[in-house]
Amino acid sequence: MKNKRLNFGIILFIAIGVVPFVAAFIYALLYSFGVIGVANKGFTTEFWTSVLASGEFFTSFLYSFLIALVAVAVSVGGALWVTLKFRKRLEQKFLSFIIYLPLAVPGIVTGFFTFQLFSKGGFFARLSYQLGWITEASQFPDLVNDALAFGILLSFITMIMPFFVLLFLNVYKNERIEELSILAQSLGANAKQVTQRISLPILIKKTRVLIVLYFIFLLGAYEVPLILGRESPQMLSVLIIREIKQYDLDKISEGYVVAVMYTLIVSAAAIVLFFPRKGRMYEH
Amino acid sequence: MLSWKPFALSVAVLLILFPFVYLVLLSLSSEWRFPDLLPSYFGLKNWATILGSEAGLLESFVSSLLISLSVAIVSTTSGFLISRAVFYHPKKNTLTLLAYFPYILAPVVFAACLSFFFLKMGLFGNITGVIVAQFIIAFPYALLFFSSFWNKKIKSYEDLVATLGGNRWQTFIKVLFPLAKGLILICFFQTFLISWFEYGLTSIIGIGKVQTLTIKVFLFIKEANYYYGALSCCLLIFPPVVLLYLNKRYVFKKLV
């Protein structure tokens, strides 16, 4: 009886958690090989050859990879610095609520707000005009929809850095880093050694899975690059949806080729990250 | 020597509060053209439209609320109950790995690949479809969220209840739910936020017919109607702020 109940739970898990993913992947795979699809006439590798030859996927992947890498590196670095420098002050009642506030802002609002501040007609352009630094809007530098993805990076950093600050504060407390630091100091370690040999290694080791997970989330981010990105290159999710929603029916299949490649990459990352191993903490 | 830390923290607090203040100000403005630093109109005109049907924002707010509450209730309940079967299973590590695949994939790409099935099932372009689609991405989160709850201690409580003659129902109602109350509440808030903040998946499955607040924000951005866009942003931000406050004040406090 007990086993039956457990098995029913597993069947439900497979039905809700696994079947949709497998169905979506198989559908995208068949579409990418021309087996299904309105204008497709049967199995072909034409769409895969076309995508691989055009190089747009690789450019988009590299672009997304670099943006995600820089955003995560800056956010984690900044959050570590804030945690180590301001930990005690952030425990005060007022500040301990304020640092949670950025979590209430979704990506689409962050994108909109960044656009409002940094576009050529935005807040900082107006301020520059009033200060006499520019005489017309077009003189304001391209900070959104720009080649260096400044707007996207700024949005990502403001979105995830507060989360990492909260995470590191939590780990600092739970791993009793304070006590370990006092112990190290009593054994003769200086402040630099305590930071480099105790605080940083523990904080990074205990949160490394989450750091990689956030990198993967940013790799597939959609709303922010949709508002603040350029026509070319585009971040992966934006590229996939642009291709799939095209009127050119051949492009739809190419969109599914990119979707399959993206799914394979993140699935491989999931296997590397979460393949059963012992001794993991703060995984989600 | 004066410490620079209070000054740095004050700047940080101002930077955190700035988006909230700016969006409220923008939502109260109109005819704010370059290079003016302040708007020529400042008042409640835009907010008054919430009560009218012109922008349909009240309708979007209610739709978003309905969708997010449904997703949060269903995914938290199913996540809690099904996670028990998964994390007591001998193959729990493999099952956990399987749960990570939909969790890690971008929802918008997932939705694009699933849209054919939603179309076939008549779930395309309606609220039910959006709820089902959001549930599919919120469920793995809820399931993984409860992974640490099902440990040896909980199992021994369950065994103790069974030894004392308690049935399954009593185990859940009298032991498991009270023990997991705080976690269930946090999971409810989190899955509510996953749904409340969702844009890409909703735009694909809802095909513009289901106009949640995130869809409205994007529509207003495309129309370059930044005042209504800011107003939608305010409506989108304030419920999570209230939830965060309640979460922090009542839930975390009791858990610690």
Side-chain angles (χ1 to χ4, degrees), chain A residues 83-109:
Chain A
T83 307
L84 296 175
K85 286 280 177 201
F86 299 98
R87 187 179 36 78
K88 284 205 174 113
R89 290 173 194 266
L90 291 173
E91 282 168 6
Q92 290 164 14
K93 204 177 176 187
F94 173 69
L95 284 175
S96 71
F97 174 66
I98 289 289
I99 54 170
Y100 273 87
L101 280 180
L103 301 187
V105 183
I108 196 161
V109 175

Side-chain angles (χ1 to χ4, degrees), chain B:
Chain B
M1 201 178 89
L2 273 175
S3 170
W4 56 275
K5 286 183 181 175
F7 172 73
L9 273 179
S10 308
V11 172
V13 169
L14 287 177
L15 284 176
I16 290 173
L17 294 177
F18 181 54
F20 296 90
V21 176
Y22 188 86
L23 287 171
V24 171
L25 287 179
L26 190 59
S27 75
L28 292 168
S29 317
S30 68
E31 296 161 39
W32 192 0
R33 295 191 184 92
F34 184 87
D36 300 340
L37 209 52
L38 292 169
S40 44
Y41 172 82
F42 196 74
L44 290 168
K45 190 174 77 182
N46 298 332
W47 282 86
T49 57
I50 296 176
L51 301 170
S53 59
E54 192 196 332
L57 278 177
L58 196 63
E59 206 179 298
S60 290
F61 184 82
V62 174
S63 303
S64 295
L65 205 62
L66 179 76
I67 292 169
S68 301
L69 283 175
S70 310
V71 171
I73 291 168
V74 179
S75 45
T76 305
T77 313
S78 57
F80 180 69
L81 297 174
I82 297 173
S83 66
R84 184 182 173 276
V86 170
F87 295 108
Y88 281 166
H89 197 275
K91 297 262 180 205
K92 70 170 183 182
N93 291 334
T94 311
L95 295 171
T96 310
L97 179 65
L98 290 176
Y100 272 109
F101 291 130
Y103 177 68
I104 214 167
L105 194 67
V108 69
V109 177
F110 198 9
C113 299
L114 272 179
S115 53
F116 166 79
F117 302 100
F118 276 72
L119 185 69
K120 289 286 168 200
M121 287 188 288
L123 292 171
F124 217 46
N126 55 50
I127 283 195
T128 316
V130 171
I131 292 173
V132 172
Q134 290 193 357
F135 167 63
I136 289 172
I137 58 157
F139 170 75
Y141 175 84
L143 187 110
L144 293 166
F145 183 86
F146 289 113
S147 62
S148 56
F149 177 75
W150 304 105
N151 51 34
K152 278 184 185 165
K153 196 172 136 194
I154 299 294
K155 187 85 182 79
S156 21
Y157 279 135
E158 288 187 50
D159 292 342
L160 183 65
V161 176
T163 313
L164 295 170
N167 59 30
R168 206 71 241 135
W169 175 251
Q170 285 168 321
T171 311
F172 266 98
I173 297 298
K174 307 248 174 178
V175 180
L176 296 177
F177 280 129
L179 281 172
K181 203 167 64 184
L183 282 179
I184 288 173
L185 214 51
I186 294 176
C187 186
F188 175 83
F189 289 151
Q190 299 285 5
T191 46
F192 178 89
L193 290 182
I194 288 174
S195 166
W196 188 258
F197 289 168
E198 181 50 52
Y199 167 74
L201 175 137
T202 312
S203 70
I204 299 276
I205 302 295
I207 48 166
K209 287 183 184 170
V210 182
Q211 297 209 331
T212 57
L213 279 174
T214 49
I215 300 285
K216 278 282 185 197
V217 171
F218 201 76
L219 280 177
F220 289 134
I221 294 173
K222 276 213 285 200
E223 288 172 8
N225 188 346
Y226 300 128
Y227 315 111
Y228 281 13
L231 207 156
S232 315
C233 287
C234 291
L235 291 176
L236 202 55
I237 288 174
F238 287 119
V241 170
V242 174
L243 275 183
L244 269 177
Y245 178 74
L246 294 175
N247 213 344
K248 190 149 172 41
R249 181 133 171 71
Y250 299 106
V251 184
F252 288 149
K253 221 177 199 177
K254 282 181 187 169
L255 281 177
V256 175

